[in-house]
Amino acid sequence: MLRTNTCGELRAKDAGKKITLCGWVDAHRIQGKLSFIMLRDRYGITQIFVNPKITKEIGEIRRESVIQVKGEVKKRPDNQIKKELATGEIEVSADEVNILSKAAPLPLELDESVSSTEEIRLKYRYLDLRRPRMIKNLTLRHKAIQFIRDYLDKKDFLDVTTPILTKSTPEGARDYLVPSRIHKGKFYALPQSPQQYKQLLMVAGIDKYYQIAPCFRDEDSRADRCPGEFYQLDLEMSFVEQEDILKITEDLFIKMVEKVFPDKKISQIPFPRISHKEAMEKYKSDKPDIRKNKDDKNELAFCWILDFPLFNKQTEEDFFHGAGQEWGPSHHMFTAPKEEHLHLLDKEPGEVRSYQHDLVLNGFEVGGGSIRIHDPDVQAKIFDLIGFDEKQKKEFAHLLEAFTYGVPPHGGIAPGIDRLIMVILGEDHIREVIAFPKDKSAKDPVMNAPSEVTKGQLDELGLKIDKK
């Protein structure tokens, strides 16, 4: 290793040790013949004392250059301790400073107090991610995901990876399509969610499944939605009722907040349960913000919204792509209607309530799920009611056939990782918790994607581009 320690690690107990640090020059102050370097990595900052001989040799080092420092840890006098730094009890007296790479003038300012445009921040995201706040956000995201994995592992869940190249089926949003070179004229689709695969895993007998799943939807950008792709905790269980799903999800997030976000306080435990009808009448929203003090950034007000309509009237603002012009699924077409409302499917479908459950946090929907349909006849009826034609029904023939070979009652939930972390941290935009997000126009400014491809690539796929 080129270093023995990180820049956030050394303390007074390390005084006298010979160490080697590597990092980025946060600042280089030259005071007469000697100088001080504030050396930074993702773990913290350490002050480096540079004697006159080395200062003369290296000259002034531009900020954000990468260097290696070898030296001895020195304890500061009590009246010189830098209390604003975790390493403020010490400094390193440099015996050797090696410049590993020089930095050109930066296209954006990394100081947290200086704002940059979204365009610049996303174009130079690898620089933007050097900001301590961004490092903190990504670290907390990692810790939250790690907690989820450990929790579910102890509950006997299996982490199963499902395909990225799959089939285009009408599931509510526009698909991202991938042309097949071998099967010209046919296309894969990137999964809007692993919904069908996780239900097939239930048929397979994998009674407790999860994954941190990438999902791809060709949707417009919003503050709480990054266009193109997002990640969700995809979770499914067999032989459960709705109550079981609510309890395990609630317990998971209560314990995750306590462990990973100890400064945050959940306002009500257990989470309040509100019917969809009550939410719309009382809050005029199916994702109400029930915080007692909306100015308290540390208050987390979770609640469950239950008893959703099974169907929604199709509108321009809320259109379920793939369904007909009259009815679209409120959640998705695999959500089970309540048993006591089955008789209304033929007469008054708008009155049918479902086993959908949405988890809401501080006015944002952070997860949705349901008990699924496991009766092929009921599933076929739902397809009819949402206006699927015969061709669309055949797109799900594999699922309906699987259900004829013994399918357990099952259900699940899929909290959105990006949005959940955004709301917990109190960030205004989801991009603040994603390493390399797309911009508002669904472009990747770092890679300049999407981009044109060569005619040879298109020819291999049997495609021609109409640029009209």
Side-chain angles (χ1 to χ4, degrees):
M1 296 288 286
L2 296 180
R3 63 184 179 184
T4 60
N5 299 86
T6 70
C7 295
E9 185 178 355
L10 299 171
R11 300 291 187 270
K13 63 181 175 58
D14 298 304
K17 289 182 179 178
K18 292 287 188 179
I19 56 87
T20 304
L21 301 179
C22 290
W24 286 259
V25 175
D26 199 67
H28 187 193
R29 302 192 319 275
I30 297 179
Q31 297 180 353
K33 294 184 178 181
L34 54 82
S35 63
F36 297 88
I37 296 173
M38 302 303 290
L39 191 63
R40 186 196 75 243
D41 61 16
R42 75 176 175 94
Y43 304 95
I45 295 179
T46 297
Q47 178 167 294
I48 311 297
F49 169 76
V50 187
N51 62 40
K53 178 177 180 294
I54 298 176
T55 298
K56 184 178 180 180
E57 290 174 354
I58 62 176
E60 183 178 0
I61 306 175
R62 191 187 297 275
R63 287 181 58 196
E64 298 305 311
S65 294
V66 179
I67 67 172
Q68 179 192 58
V69 173
K70 298 180 180 181
E72 182 178 342
V73 181
K74 302 283 189 179
K75 189 177 185 302
R76 291 177 182 274
D78 290 345
N79 63 346
Q80 293 183 21
I81 290 175
K82 290 180 175 289
K83 295 182 179 179
E84 71 275 16
L85 294 179
T87 59
E89 298 174 308
I90 61 94
E91 70 177 8
V92 172
S93 179
D95 299 323
E96 184 180 331
V97 175
N98 299 308
I99 299 175
L100 302 180
S101 68
K102 295 181 179 180
L106 300 185
L108 78 166
E109 180 57 60
L110 301 187
D111 190 324
E112 297 282 8
S113 65
V114 179
S115 62
S116 300
T117 65
E118 177 186 353
E119 180 183 7
I120 292 295
R121 286 188 64 198
L122 295 186
K123 179 176 175 60
Y124 298 99
R125 188 61 161 183
Y126 46 86
L127 297 178
D128 188 54
L129 290 177
R130 293 182 188 175
R131 298 173 190 261
R133 181 169 66 91
M134 295 304 299
I135 292 173
K136 177 184 176 183
N137 286 358
L138 292 184
T139 301
L140 288 171
R141 177 190 172 112
H142 157 77
K143 289 182 176 179
I145 291 174
Q146 192 60 47
F147 182 91
I148 289 168
R149 292 187 185 280
D150 292 342
Y151 177 95
L152 294 175
D153 181 65
K154 291 173 185 175
K155 299 285 187 181
D156 291 328
F157 281 78
L158 288 185
D159 181 354
V160 182
T161 301
T162 55
I164 296 298
L165 292 176
T166 183
K167 181 180 183 179
S168 177
T169 55
E171 294 184 37
R174 296 180 183 89
D175 283 328
Y176 279 100
L177 300 177
V178 180
S180 170
R181 175 184 61 84
I182 298 172
H183 306 283
K184 287 185 172 56
K186 295 186 178 181
F187 293 80
Y188 298 102
L190 305 183
Q192 294 185 27
S193 79
Q195 183 63 44
Q196 294 179 67
Y197 284 113
K198 69 180 176 182
Q199 291 194 249
L200 291 171
L201 286 171
M202 297 301 104
V203 179
I206 309 298
D207 64 324
K208 293 181 178 180
Y209 142 91
Y210 87 98
Q211 69 172 313
I212 306 299
C215 302
F216 306 89
R217 299 177 188 176
D218 189 357
E219 297 177 312
D220 295 332
S221 174
R222 295 193 313 226
D224 65 343
R225 182 172 71 194
C226 188
E229 60 188 286
F230 62 93
Y231 283 79
Q232 66 185 32
L233 164 59
D234 206 49
L235 184 151
E236 197 81 2
M237 295 181 286
S238 294
F239 308 114
V240 292
E241 296 176 321
Q242 187 175 54
E243 183 69 20
D244 301 301
I245 300 168
L246 303 188
K247 281 185 176 179
I248 194 169
T249 306
E250 196 164 313
D251 186 60
L252 166 60
F253 288 136
I254 289 170
K255 290 177 177 174
M256 185 192 78
V257 169
E258 290 173 350
K259 177 69 175 179
V260 182
F261 308 96
D263 294 338
K264 305 293 180 175
K265 302 301 177 188
I266 298 175
S267 56
Q268 295 185 63
I269 297 175
F271 300 166
R273 298 183 180 189
I274 305 170
S275 72
H276 180 267
K277 182 180 180 183
E278 179 188 353
M280 297 307 294
E281 289 176 351
K282 184 175 180 179
Y283 301 101
K284 305 295 187 278
S285 171
D286 60 3
K287 40 184 182 291
D289 186 346
I290 63 169
R291 281 177 290 177
K292 297 172 183 176
N293 180 4
K294 293 181 175 60
D295 294 325
D296 182 357
K297 291 187 176 181
N298 287 330
E299 182 182 0
L300 300 179
F302 286 95
C303 66
W304 290 106
I305 307 300
L306 306 172
D307 299 325
F308 277 81
L310 185 62
F311 305 107
N312 284 333
K313 284 283 189 181
Q314 291 275 54
T315 64
E316 186 176 339
E317 297 78 25
D318 185 17
F319 193 83
F320 192 97
H321 290 274
Q325 296 299 311
E326 184 176 8
W327 295 109
S330 175
H331 184 213
H332 55 53
M333 70 282 288
F334 309 114
T335 297
K338 294 206 162 186
E339 287 91 345
E340 62 268 29
H341 290 176
L342 284 172
H343 69 283
L344 296 173
L345 287 172
D346 290 321
K347 304 173 185 176
E348 299 178 85
E351 298 299 315
V352 178
R353 298 284 157 167
S354 73
Y355 285 111
Q356 177 182 347
H357 38 259
D358 277 10
L359 182 61
V360 174
L361 173 59
N362 292 6
F364 292 87
E365 178 203 333
V366 293
S370 68
I371 293 294
R372 321 301 187 189
I373 297 168
H374 67 280
D375 183 330
D377 293 335
V378 174
Q379 187 67 75
K381 171 65 73 175
I382 300 301
F383 287 164
D384 285 336
L385 285 167
I386 62 175
F388 274 7
D389 58 31
E390 291 305 312
K391 185 176 184 298
Q392 287 175 307
K393 293 176 188 177
K394 287 180 181 178
E395 300 294 342
F396 296 97
H398 54 279
L399 188 66
L400 296 180
E401 181 183 7
F403 282 8
T404 68
Y405 299 130
V407 54
H410 59 281
I413 191 169
I417 295 291
D418 314 292
R419 189 180 296 172
L420 177 68
I421 302 301
M422 179 198 80
V423 181
I424 291 176
L425 293 179
E427 292 286 1
D428 294 328
H429 200 288
I430 201 166
R431 67 170 180 249
E432 305 301 334
V433 299
I434 299 173
F436 295 100
K438 305 293 185 292
D439 65 16
K440 292 177 182 177
S441 63
K443 290 182 179 179
D444 179 345
V446 175
M447 295 287 190
N448 194 27
S451 60
E452 294 183 352
V453 296
T454 67
K455 182 177 183 300
Q457 288 173 293
L458 292 174
D459 289 344
E460 277 194 321
L461 297 169
L463 297 177
K464 291 183 179 180
I465 302 297
D466 184 355
K467 294 187 177 182
K468 290 181 181 179

